[in-house]
Amino acid sequence: MVDKIIQSIQQHSIPLTNFKDDLDPLISAITNQKYILLGESSHGTSEFYQIRAEITKRLILEKDFTFIAVEGDWPACQQVNSYIKGYSNEYKNALDVLASFKRWPTWMWANEELIDLIEWLKEFNQEKPNEKKVGFYGIDIYSLWESMDEILKYLEKRNSLNLEVARKAFACFEPFHREAEKYALSSAFYQEGCHEEVTRLLMEIIANKHVYQDSRESSLNVEVNALITANAENYY
């Protein structure tokens, strides 16, 4: 059995000694696929981040991919997205941007390997029109309080009609002091939850998302944060 496994590895594996040539068979095998999933066998291994970054660059350059979705929180990843697309001058460099990742495990994305990719993406986007710029987005649903913070901050800035609904939703969670475990116990054993509040907030924002349309993805940002708030509440 072991011999067969070794033979199979020898037959099908491709050694990676340099990224320029050894990735060619993989990139060539990608034709008209709409989505490419890049996994890893362990979180935080430097080599995996490096290889994944090189594959990502080639998919952008040679296959015209424009959307990177990662296992990370939307609010923090949106800061990266804003930086590489030039929407904000808040951060001087990628290292500053990565300070946005504050929820555990920060090292998943706030690491040295990602710095090079972020700066590469920013440079790549500089001469592109908005619709052609590569984006960087988080698809996790755990950032309950962080997403509510973003919603409130944006709606307060706009003095939006949805602001009062958002404040009521936020106030419902205040007794739990940003501790998901406390909210989970309360909703499970005492039937004290905020489901109605976050559902109403999501519905109101979706109904009025056209109001937030601009060239900096504000409508998408506030809508996804509302969606995450609702889904995170359900999860916890």
Side-chain angles (χ1 to χ4, degrees):
M1 181 66 179
V2 174
D3 290 340
K4 288 185 177 180
I5 294 174
I6 293 174
Q7 289 174 5
S8 182
I9 293 173
Q10 290 174 336
Q11 180 181 352
H12 298 291
S13 63
I14 300 172
L16 293 177
T17 56
N18 71 81
F19 295 137
K20 183 177 180 181
D21 301 319
D22 292 339
L23 292 175
D24 287 350
L26 175 62
I27 302 301
S28 298
I30 297 168
T31 53
N32 59 351
Q33 286 83 0
K34 189 173 182 181
Y35 305 105
I36 303 296
L37 308 184
L38 303 179
E40 59 191 11
S41 55
S42 66
H43 286 332
T45 302
S46 177
E47 289 81 1
F48 291 149
Y49 281 86
Q50 293 175 35
I51 294 169
R52 195 165 52 186
E54 292 304 317
I55 294 172
T56 299
K57 292 175 185 177
R58 292 194 59 175
L59 289 175
I60 291 168
L61 290 170
E62 300 173 35
K63 303 296 181 177
D64 296 324
F65 280 84
T66 59
F67 192 105
I68 301 172
V70 305
E71 185 187 356
D73 290 338
W74 174 274
C77 290
Q78 193 62 12
Q79 297 302 311
V80 175
N81 186 60
S82 181
Y83 174 75
I84 65 176
K85 290 188 174 181
Y87 293 162
S88 170
N89 296 319
E90 182 179 353
Y91 303 104
K92 295 180 180 179
N93 51 51
L95 182 62
D96 287 346
V97 181
L98 292 181
S100 303
F101 290 89
K102 298 174 182 177
R103 199 180 64 81
W104 185 91
T106 55
W107 48 263
M108 274 282 290
W109 299 110
N111 55 62
E112 291 182 6
E113 288 74 18
L114 199 65
I115 289 175
D116 292 336
L117 178 61
I118 291 173
E119 296 294 8
W120 185 91
L121 290 168
K122 182 175 178 62
E123 184 177 350
F124 176 86
N125 281 336
Q126 281 184 348
E127 304 301 324
K128 304 289 183 183
N130 281 348
E131 65 274 12
K132 294 290 186 180
K133 290 182 178 179
V134 177
F136 188 96
Y137 304 95
I139 57 175
D140 265 353
I141 64 165
Y142 308 115
S143 58
L144 174 60
W145 280 275
E146 292 84 357
S147 286
M148 283 195 296
D149 286 340
E150 289 298 311
I151 292 170
L152 277 173
K153 184 168 65 175
Y154 179 75
L155 295 182
E156 286 172 352
K157 187 177 179 181
R158 293 287 301 269
N159 195 24
S160 168
L161 295 174
N162 299 137
L163 179 57
E164 200 55 41
V165 177
R167 283 174 172 165
K168 287 182 179 179
F170 191 88
C172 183
F173 288 97
E174 281 189 322
F176 306 104
H177 305 291
R178 295 178 178 257
E179 296 182 31
E181 295 82 0
K182 286 186 177 180
Y183 179 76
L185 289 170
S186 178
S187 58
F189 293 104
Y190 304 108
Q191 306 300 312
E192 296 177 358
C194 304
H195 180 74
E196 291 185 8
E197 287 81 359
V198 296
T199 301
R200 185 186 172 195
L201 174 62
L202 175 60
M203 293 175 63
E204 289 284 340
I205 285 179
I206 289 177
N208 295 286
K209 63 181 181 180
H210 61 280
V211 177
Y212 312 121
Q213 290 283 3
D214 62 23
S215 61
R216 299 193 172 190
E217 303 180 35
S218 295
S219 179
L220 174 67
N221 192 32
V222 72
E223 181 181 359
V224 173
N225 275 314
L227 185 63
I228 290 170
T229 299
N231 284 325
E233 184 279 330
N234 185 53
Y235 171 81
Y236 288 125

